[in-house]
Amino acid sequence: EAMASMVKARRIVIIGMRNAYPAALHLRQQLLQARGQVLLLPQPGQSLSEELVDLTPDDLVIMMAFRRRPRIVRPQLQHSGIPVLLMCEPQAHSLFPLTSWQLCAPLDSVSAYDSYSSVNSLINLLANAFLHEILDKGRPRIHDIASLYQQLDELEQR
């Protein structure tokens, strides 16, 4: 159901704050290769209200909310009325009733820091599954992007 919602969404809005921001940025870059209208919030130095006000039930929010979440996450989830896919660690179960779907990835590590390796694996799985769902539209977009890389001489070819 979550994948079907991603496919039919007018826009996919990915929200990630604090440690979730780099993971949200990575997910956006992966999905953006397959389709347009993939947004990342919040933009640096900006608030969210101006961005969230335009969301409709035709959009999908992917909320990346990992350990040490800002307090604003819960009000965002309670406010939306928009389909929400929550990506979090398993201990975030108190947020589950506020979302449409949940994908959990453990952050446990033997070191003093959380490990986001399972989060990145989950992003890889989600992005690949999404691409396969829209392959007829995604593949030409990927080829067009690759052509632009060459036209703009944007990337080193090594």
Side-chain angles (χ1 to χ4, degrees):
E1 289 180 16
M3 187 59 60
S5 185
M6 287 177 67
V7 169
K8 73 176 185 173
R10 177 176 60 122
R11 291 179 297 185
I12 296 175
V13 176
I14 304 169
I15 301 174
M17 292 175 260
R18 296 182 39 89
N19 286 345
Y21 193 84
L25 179 61
H26 181 58
L27 177 60
R28 178 191 180 263
Q29 290 309 113
Q30 297 303 300
L31 296 180
L32 194 58
Q33 291 181 51
R35 66 158 285 166
Q37 295 298 311
V38 182
L39 310 173
L40 176 66
L41 299 178
Q43 291 298 306
Q46 300 299 309
S47 62
L48 288 165
S49 297
E50 297 91 350
E51 304 285 351
L52 298 177
V53 72
D54 292 327
L55 295 180
T56 73
D58 294 331
D59 299 315
L60 170 71
V61 170
I62 300 177
M63 174 67 75
M64 305 198 66
F66 297 101
R67 193 177 353 253
R68 295 184 183 93
R69 290 170 280 285
R71 291 184 192 275
I72 195 169
V73 168
R74 188 172 294 277
Q76 285 173 354
L77 294 174
Q78 290 170 328
H79 161 78
S80 77
I82 311 301
V84 176
L85 169 59
L86 174 66
M87 294 181 71
C88 60
E89 79 283 359
Q91 294 83 1
H93 50 81
S94 68
L95 297 176
F96 291 6
L98 304 175
T99 63
S100 308
W101 309 278
Q102 308 82 32
L103 294 174
C104 296
L107 302 178
D108 301 330
S109 171
V110 295
S111 74
Y113 300 103
D114 289 338
S115 172
Y116 282 78
S117 60
S118 63
V119 173
N120 285 316
S121 292
L122 186 57
I123 288 169
N124 181 274
L125 176 67
L126 187 62
N128 276 291
F130 178 72
L131 176 59
H132 286 282
E133 287 291 319
I134 63 162
L135 201 54
D136 59 328
K137 296 175 186 167
R139 183 173 282 156
R141 181 178 171 86
I142 290 169
H143 289 297
D144 290 346
I145 291 169
S147 293
L148 272 175
Y149 286 154
Q150 290 179 332
Q151 289 173 22
L152 299 175
D153 196 26
E154 192 173 11
L155 300 176
E156 188 174 322
Q157 296 299 315
R158 292 184 183 207

